[in-house]
Amino acid sequence: QSVLTQPPSASGTPGQRVTISCSGSSSNIGTNTVNWYQQLPGTAPKLLIYSNNQRPSGVPDRFSGSKSGTSASLAISGLQSEDEADYYCAAWGDSLNGYVFGTGTKVTVL
Amino acid sequence: QLQESGPGLVKPSEPLSLTCTVSGASISSYYWSWIRQPPGKGLEWIGYIYYSGITNYTPSLKSRVTISVDTSKNQFSLKLSSVTAADTAVYYCARHLGFCSGGDCRSSWFDPWGQGTLVTVSS
């Protein structure tokens, strides 16, 4: 049911920069803000980025978000072992009149 | 803090009922959602509710879903009728932050989430 497309996996060594893309359409990302969630193994998702590029209190500044047109990106700078998790983008879908999530990206720290 | 509760096993064709108990916040102050995640798969938004009774459901589940709120208990609930094995999932409740108005929550996000509860549909 996901209408936001993410790469299934991404990886990097400690200290590297990793970028995750989230591709949508004019009826979701194109007109609405994007949020990102981090899901550590065996736990509930946690808010990571809201309103395209805002970090909640407590989220390290090595996480950053951006949006351009109908796509969004999450960047992790200075990758750390504790960043190994699944990452999901999300946005409102106008045609669905509800939320849509991305397909999810598993980040592995090599 | 949010805590889901309910049966972990439901028989096919029977209804699934879950409750989310909210602590540390008034349920009347926010919009609240249910989200599910089948084992090994991605997230699916089910629907949300406001204390006034405003609801919005995802189209694919709309005919089977009811979300209700009990302000006296600071709880909201999910009922999904006629379940099948495809409804087996971890079910999360979550609070909306950001901006919701008149049932439109396009400018909001989910924070925090409950820990989730696994519901298995099997005979």
Side-chain angles (χ1 to χ4, degrees), chain B residues 91-104:
Chain B
Y91 286 76
Y92 298 100
C93 55
R95 180 181 67 175
H96 288 248
L97 285 184
F99 183 71
C100 287
S101 178
D104 186 339

Side-chain angles (χ1 to χ4, degrees), chain A residues 1-2 32-33 35 37 39 43-45 47 50-51 88 92 94 96-99 101, chain B residues 37 41-45 48 56 58-60 92 96 105-106 108-111 113-114:
Chain A
Q1 162 130 2
S2 298
N32 299 297
T33 56
N35 309 308
Y37 301 91
Q39 186 174 31
T43 70
L47 179 68
Y50 66 95
S51 294
Y88 293 90
W92 182 270
D94 289 343
L96 185 73
N97 193 35
Y99 288 99
F101 284 95
Chain B
Q37 183 174 35
K41 296 188 178 180
L43 300 165
E44 180 184 25
W45 173 73
Y48 59 64
N56 185 19
T58 192
S60 64
Y92 298 100
H96 288 248
C105 284
R106 67 184 62 233
S108 69
W109 48 91
F110 306 116
D111 184 43
W113 298 54

